[in-house]
């Protein structure tokens, strides 16, 4: 497996947690949470992260009900993933994000959204 950098997102309607990881260590680091009401501001911030980290892979957490069923935010997260792929021309993987925010909260994370993104990236890396 070649060394790749992965940039991950815990998508939310108001906030998007971000994290970066790599395939060698299969670990990730939380970055920040993007808070912006306008899409252009969000995507400008994401573009800056992509320039900084030069990822080969993007990962978006896919929200699902506990039983695995889709809900309204599932479609919105898929749409966000398609927007990332279209704008940045990078491959985007979707990862089941059930309970990542709960795990991050239970761990005492200061920034739950970026900590959830860290868990999403690490889950993706473990699946490689």
């Amino acid at each position: 497996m070649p060394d790749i950098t992965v940039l991950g997102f815990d998508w939310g309607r108001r906030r998007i947690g971000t994290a970066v990881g790599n395939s060698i260590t299969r670990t990730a680091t939380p970055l920040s949470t993007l808070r912006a009401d306008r899409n252009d501001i969000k995507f400008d911030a994401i573009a800056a992260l992509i320039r900084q980290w030069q990822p080969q892979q993007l990962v978006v957490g896919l929200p699902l009900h506990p039983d695995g069923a889709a809900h309204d935010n599932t479609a919105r997260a898929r749409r966000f993933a398609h927007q990332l792929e279209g704008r940045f021309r990078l491959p985007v993987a979707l990862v089941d994000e059930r309970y990542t925010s709960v795990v991050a909260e239970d761990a005492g994370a200061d920034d739950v959204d970026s900590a959830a993104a860290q868990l999403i990236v690490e889950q993706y890396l473990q699946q490689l």
Side-chain angles (χ1 to χ4, degrees):
M1 175 93 211
D3 183 15
I4 64 167
T5 299
V6 177
L7 187 61
F9 303 93
D10 177 33
W11 179 88
R13 292 175 102 175
R14 293 188 181 104
R15 297 181 313 271
I16 300 172
T18 62
V20 66
N22 73 66
S23 61
I24 297 296
T25 63
R26 294 184 190 238
T27 60
T29 302
L31 295 174
S32 62
T33 294
L34 308 177
R35 292 174 178 87
D37 294 330
R38 294 185 9 216
N39 273 344
D40 59 333
I41 295 171
K42 282 185 213 175
F43 284 110
D44 286 348
I46 292 168
L49 289 173
I50 289 173
R51 281 191 302 275
Q52 178 180 0
W53 294 100
Q54 298 293 305
Q56 292 77 41
Q57 177 73 51
L58 304 179
V59 178
V60 174
L62 187 65
L64 299 166
H65 283 296
D67 67 358
H71 53 77
D72 291 343
N73 282 339
T74 306
R76 290 182 181 105
R78 286 184 190 279
R79 182 171 181 255
F80 174 69
H82 290 299
Q83 289 173 327
L84 288 175
E85 194 170 45
R87 285 177 186 251
F88 301 110
R89 303 286 183 226
L90 289 167
V92 179
L94 293 165
V95 173
D96 182 346
E97 70 164 31
R98 282 179 283 181
Y99 306 111
T100 56
S101 293
V102 173
V103 171
E105 285 175 3
D106 288 350
D110 292 331
D111 181 345
V112 171
D113 298 305
S114 65
Q118 174 188 9
L119 294 170
I120 290 164
V121 172
E122 288 177 349
Q123 183 175 334
Y124 171 79
L125 292 169
Q126 293 304 316
Q127 295 172 358
L128 292 180

